Amino acid sequence: MNIAVCVKRIPKTAEADIFIEKDGKDIKKDNLVFALNDWDGYAVREAVLLKEKYEGEVIVLTIGPEESKEVLTRCLAMGADRAVRIEAPSSSDGHLIAKILAQATKGQSFDLILTGVQAEDDGWGQVGVALAQLLGLPHASIVTHIEVENGKAKVRRELEGGIEELLEVKLPAVLTIQTGINEPKYVSLSAILDAEDKETKEVGLEEIGFTSKAPLDATIDQVSFPPTGKMAEILKGTPEEVVGQLTEIIKKKKG
Amino acid sequence: MKIDPKTFIHDYQLNICIQCGTCTGGCPVKFRSPLNMRRLVRETHLTDNFSSISKRAELWACTTCSTCSLRCPSGVKNVELIMGIRNFLANKGEVPSTIRDALENTLLQGNPWGRFRDRRADWAQDLGVKIFGEETSETLFYVGCAPSYDPRVQSVSTSLVRIFQKAGVDFAILGKKESCCGNEIRRMGEQALFKKLAKDNTALFKKLGVKRIITISPHCYNAFKNEYPDLNIPVQHYTQVLVDLIEAGKLHLSKELGISVTYHDPCFLGKQNKVFDEPRKILNSIPGCDFIEMERSRERSLCCEGGGGRMWAEGGTEGKRNGEIRIREAVALAAKTLATACPFCLLTFEDSVKTSGLAEQIVVKDIAELVMEALEVQ
Ligand code: SF4
Ligand code: SF4
C-alpha cells in the first residue's frame, strides 16, 4: 500500500502577539516559530500506521521554500520513507496548490493520498478535495477512522452535531484527515537528527511539468483583526476583585 | 540513536545492588504509586523482556528527587536508571501525551508550557532591568521558565530584581533570548534535547561574556552546576547570593514581619546540592521571623513531587499528595508561613494549601518574597 501525504509548514500563532504587515496583506511572521500543520501531523501518523499494517511506502510532499524542508524532516522522523519538496512561491490559492500537487502525484501508483482537513494558517480546507477532483479520484473529507479491505477503504467521517458517517471509498482515493484520528507519538530530537541524513528530493515546477499560467482564483487583498465585540466586558482589578465582580455578574444573569 | 537496555546494567551499576531495599524505603511516591525501585533495579538487571518493564506507567511517577540514589549503600545509579528508561521511551516516541507536549513546546518556544518566546521577559518590563544585547554585565540573572511565565512565581522574580537593585548588584537578564535550562527535559528522558539546550545556552553565555550566573530555581542551578559539560562559569542559587549580601551589610532587613515560619528544603537545592544553611541564615536574619524547623528537614525533607517532569505529568499516582502532607506538618508546628526556595515547590504547595482547605491557617512564600517584605521597599 503506497501512500502520499501532502503537508504544509505553518507559523504557530496561538500564543503569539500578532501584528499586520505594512502592506496589510499578511501578518508579520519574523517573530513567529514554524511547525508542521497540526492536521498534517495526524495524516502522516495515520499513513505510518497504515503502512505498519498493510506494508508499502509513505511519501510526503510539500510545496514551499527551502525552510519547508524542516517539516519534511520531521515527517521522515515520524516514519515516512521518502520526501519531496516542490520549490514554489507560497500561495494562499488552494486551487493552485491542488493543481501543483495533482501534477506531482498523477500517474504514480498511490493507493491513498492523504492531506490534513485544513491548514492552521489559511484554513481554507480546499486542497484535498480539489486534488481529488483534479486527479479524478473519489474522496472523503474530515476522516476520523480508516480501514482498508479488498481495494476499498472503509472510512468514518465527522459530521455536525457529533454524527458520524460511515463510507466505503474505492481506492485509489484522497482522504482529508481530521485531528484526533490517532494519538500522535512524540518525535524525539534524536529521531529528527537521524532523519536529517535521509534524502529529501527537491524539484522545481518545471521539472514536474507544471506550466499552467492560469490566473489565481484567490489572492489576499487585506487582513485585519476582527472588530472588538460589544458583548465582551473585560474585568479589571486584582484576582480577588475580579472574582468578586464575576460572581456578581453570574448571580445577576442567573436571576 | 538506538538505546540498548542491556547497557543499563553496566551504565547504572545494577549488578552491585544488594537488594537492601533502602531505595524503596525512602521513596516519596512509594505509597502513591506501584513504583518500587528495589524491584526495578533487579528486574531490569535480570529481564529478557525489557520492553514489558518499560511500558509500566509508574516509571513516570518518579520525581527524580534522588533520595534513593543518595541513600543507596552500594552506589547504584537509581535515578539515572529511571532517566535512562525514559530516554529509551522518548527515543521511541512512547511518552505520555502531556510529557510529549512539554518536550515539543520546549523545542519550539524554549519553555515546556509553549508560551510565546517573545513574552518571556514581559514580567520585567517596568523594573529597569538591564537586558543582555542592549546592555551588558558580568552577572547573568538566569530567570528560568516558571519564574518568567507563571504569575505566582513572577512575584519571586520581581522581588529578587528589587532586592538586587537595592543591594547595588550589577546584573542583566537574557530577555527573549533566554531558553529553558533543560534540567526537567533531561529528567523527562529527552537527553538529546537537553544536550542541545546545554550547548546553545553555554555558547550564548560565553558569547555575552558572562562571568557569574545566579538562578532562581534549584533545578536550573543543578543543571548549570552539575550537568552542563562545558560551562565552567560559577553558578549560585539566589539564596547563596542573598546570604553574602546580608553578611556584607548590603541588605538592611529592617521591617519586623512578626511571623512564625518553617522551611521546606527543595530536593534539588538541599539533598542534591547540599545548600541547607543559606536559606536558614536568611530566615534567621529577618526581624520578627520566628523560625521553626520541620521534623523532616535537610536531607530528610519530603519531596513535594514537583520535580522530574511531574509538573507536566498527569495522574500516575493516587492518594494524598505529599504537598498536602507537608502543609499539614507545617500547620502542626503552628507555623503561619511555609517558606521555600524553589518555583516548583512554591506551585505545588500553593495547590496543596487550597486542596487541603488550610488556606486560612497558613500561607506559602518564597524566601525571596519574605526578604523583600523585610526590606520595606516602597
Ligand atoms: S538501595 Fe541500592 S543496594 Fe539497596 S536495594 Fe536499592 S539499589 Fe539495591
Ligand atoms: S528519585 Fe525519588 S521518587 Fe524517584 S524512585 Fe528515587 S526516591 Fe523514588
Side-chain angles (χ1 to χ4, degrees):
Chain A
M1 182 129 144
N2 295 329
I3 308 170
V5 191
C6 310
V7 303
K8 183 177 185 184
R9 176 177 179 266
I10 51 92
K12 285 295 208 192
T13 51
E15 288 270 345
D17 298 322
I18 303 295
F19 305 100
I20 291 172
E21 287 282 8
K22 266 209 193 79
D23 67 3
K25 289 185 191 301
D26 203 351
I27 58 165
K28 283 201 163 89
K29 291 180 185 154
D30 46 5
N31 62 337
L32 301 178
V33 294
F34 287 76
L36 176 64
N37 176 37
D38 205 23
W39 277 272
D40 301 346
Y42 285 90
V44 173
R45 174 80 184 129
E46 193 63 19
V48 171
L49 288 170
L50 288 168
K51 180 184 93 167
E52 281 169 11
K53 239 182 176 166
Y54 306 109
E55 296 187 342
E57 205 183 26
V58 174
I59 293 121
V60 284
L61 300 119
T62 193
I63 301 172
E66 181 78 41
E67 298 84 47
S68 311
K69 187 171 181 255
E70 70 187 31
V71 300
L72 293 180
T73 305
R74 187 180 176 84
C75 297
L76 290 169
M78 291 169 78
D81 301 286
R82 289 195 285 128
V84 181
R85 180 175 73 83
I86 303 164
E87 171 75 40
S90 72
S91 168
S92 41
D93 183 345
H95 191 200
L96 173 69
I97 300 293
K99 281 193 273 190
I100 299 172
L101 289 172
Q103 183 65 31
T105 49
K106 81 171 178 208
Q108 299 191 43
S109 57
F110 294 120
D111 302 287
L112 270 178
I113 299 177
L114 307 183
T115 69
V117 166
Q118 57 186 322
E120 281 175 72
D121 53 356
D122 292 337
W124 287 104
Q126 287 185 348
V127 171
V129 182
L131 176 62
Q133 175 71 21
L134 291 167
L135 292 172
L137 295 179
H139 77 269
S141 56
I142 327 183
V143 170
T144 56
H145 184 81
I146 306 174
E147 259 169 67
V148 176
E149 221 173 80
N150 305 327
K152 285 180 189 143
K154 278 189 183 163
V155 304
R156 262 188 253 148
R157 296 184 59 228
E158 185 181 299
L159 301 182
E160 283 88 354
I163 298 172
E164 282 195 328
E165 184 177 66
L166 195 61
L167 285 180
E168 218 173 60
V169 190
K170 203 168 150 284
L171 299 184
V174 180
L175 307 177
T176 79
I177 302 300
Q178 175 66 316
T179 53
I181 187 172
N182 50 48
E183 181 64 42
K185 270 189 162 187
Y186 175 60
V187 187
S188 72
L189 185 59
S190 74
I192 294 174
L193 295 175
D194 287 348
E196 274 173 3
D197 298 337
K198 291 194 196 173
E199 197 198 317
T200 300
K201 198 170 153 199
E202 323 235 309
V203 292
L205 287 178
E206 277 175 19
E207 270 171 84
I208 59 167
F210 186 85
T211 49
S212 161
K213 292 274 181 291
L216 293 177
D217 285 355
T219 52
I220 291 180
D221 280 347
Q222 200 200 351
V223 295
S224 58
F225 291 105
T228 321
K230 289 204 182 62
M231 294 301 289
E233 187 186 347
I234 311 268
L235 303 177
K236 291 207 178 89
T238 63
E240 286 79 8
E241 289 163 4
V242 170
V243 169
Q245 295 170 36
L246 188 63
T247 25
E248 281 311 308
I249 295 171
I250 293 172
K251 269 190 210 156
K252 260 190 226 150
K253 296 265 163 183
K254 204 179 135 207
Chain B
M1 198 186 67
K2 284 264 182 309
I3 293 172
D4 180 3
K6 291 211 174 61
T7 66
F8 288 177
I9 300 171
H10 172 262
D11 293 349
Y12 310 127
Q13 309 193 345
L14 307 184
N15 53 347
I16 57 170
C17 167
I18 54 168
Q19 286 290 294
C20 65
T22 306
C23 48
T24 303
C27 175
V29 297
K30 66 168 182 281
F31 296 125
R32 314 222 322 103
S33 85
L35 181 65
N36 182 323
M37 182 49 85
R38 174 175 123 178
R39 254 171 77 180
L40 182 67
V41 168
R42 183 48 53 96
E43 284 178 340
T44 312
H45 183 186
L46 300 177
T47 188
D48 298 326
N49 186 3
F50 176 75
S51 83
S52 83
I53 295 180
S54 75
K55 289 199 173 64
R56 296 178 188 165
E58 68 261 27
L59 290 167
W60 297 95
C62 168
T63 68
T64 68
C65 71
S66 294
T67 306
C68 51
S69 38
L70 288 167
R71 292 187 188 171
C72 172
S74 304
V76 174
K77 298 179 180 172
N78 311 72
V79 193
E80 294 291 330
L81 167 64
I82 290 270
M83 290 192 263
I85 300 176
R86 289 180 181 178
N87 188 24
F88 171 82
L89 291 167
N91 281 5
K92 296 207 303 171
E94 290 168 8
V95 306
S97 60
T98 51
I99 302 278
R100 172 196 71 205
D101 294 346
L103 296 174
E104 280 177 357
N105 286 336
T106 306
L107 182 63
L108 270 185
Q109 297 283 13
N111 70 85
W113 286 282
R115 302 290 303 278
F116 191 36
R117 196 184 275 276
D118 279 10
R119 293 209 143 186
R120 191 160 179 121
D122 279 10
W123 65 273
Q125 249 163 20
D126 304 320
L127 298 176
V129 186
K130 288 207 273 185
I131 298 183
F132 278 104
E134 295 162 13
E135 287 171 274
T136 187
S137 174
E138 294 204 332
T139 300
L140 162 64
F141 178 38
Y142 178 89
V143 184
C145 300
S148 293
Y149 291 111
D150 188 283
R152 176 64 189 90
V153 194
Q154 279 171 352
S155 131
V156 180
S157 322
T158 310
S159 299
L160 282 169
V161 163
R162 295 233 166 90
I163 295 165
F164 292 156
Q165 286 171 337
K166 186 98 177 162
V169 179
D170 180 75
F171 69 96
I173 63 171
L174 291 167
K176 297 174 193 177
K177 287 192 287 294
E178 190 181 279
S179 277
C180 178
C181 70
N183 192 71
E184 299 307 284
I185 302 304
R186 183 164 178 265
R187 281 155 183 79
M188 288 188 264
E190 236 303 11
Q191 303 269 2
L193 182 53
F194 169 75
K195 280 193 190 124
K196 177 180 158 51
L197 293 166
K199 197 168 147 228
D200 294 352
N201 285 335
T202 302
L204 178 66
F205 300 170
K206 297 221 159 138
K207 194 179 112 204
L208 296 170
V210 172
K211 297 275 178 306
R212 164 168 89 134
I213 303 171
I214 304 172
T215 75
I216 299 180
S217 173
H219 295 251
C220 311
Y221 173 69
N222 181 67
F224 295 150
K225 184 163 166 274
N226 303 320
E227 298 182 351
Y228 272 41
D230 307 309
L231 188 62
N232 303 322
I233 301 173
V235 189
Q236 285 179 296
H237 183 253
Y238 82 80
T239 51
Q240 298 171 313
V241 179
L242 293 191
V243 164
D244 289 348
L245 292 173
I246 292 169
E247 286 177 352
K250 292 192 175 144
L251 277 179
H252 301 286
L253 307 179
S254 50
K255 189 174 163 192
E256 287 266 336
L257 293 192
I259 53 169
S260 54
V261 51
T262 187
Y263 173 67
H264 164 85
D265 287 278
C267 298
F268 280 78
L269 190 63
K271 57 174 82 79
Q272 292 191 37
N273 284 299
K274 310 285 179 272
V275 180
F276 294 119
D277 296 330
E278 289 85 343
R280 291 172 169 80
K281 278 189 194 159
I282 299 171
L283 290 172
N284 283 319
S285 321
I286 297 176
C289 178
D290 177 18
F291 176 64
I292 319 162
E293 194 71 83
M294 284 187 141
E295 209 272 311
R296 290 194 260 188
S297 65
R298 301 173 78 95
E299 281 94 349
R300 295 184 54 239
S301 175
L302 176 70
C303 172
C304 79
E305 296 187 67
R310 293 294 303 161
M311 292 303 285
W312 299 278
E314 247 169 33
T317 51
E318 52 189 35
K320 192 167 283 164
R321 290 195 194 163
N322 289 349
E324 277 194 39
I325 296 173
R326 217 49 180 153
I327 295 288
R328 283 177 203 285
E329 286 179 358
V331 168
L333 290 174
K336 291 278 179 271
T337 300
L338 172 60
T340 188
C342 167
F344 294 157
C345 298
L346 190 64
L347 290 171
T348 50
F349 289 145
E350 283 289 2
D351 277 353
S352 306
V353 161
K354 293 179 188 97
T355 54
S356 60
L358 292 168
E360 303 284 314
Q361 297 185 47
I362 193 158
V363 292
V364 182
K365 287 268 169 76
D366 192 278
I367 286 185
E369 295 172 316
L370 294 173
V371 170
M372 179 67 199
E373 285 172 29
L375 266 178
E376 269 193 324
V377 187
Q378 272 81 45

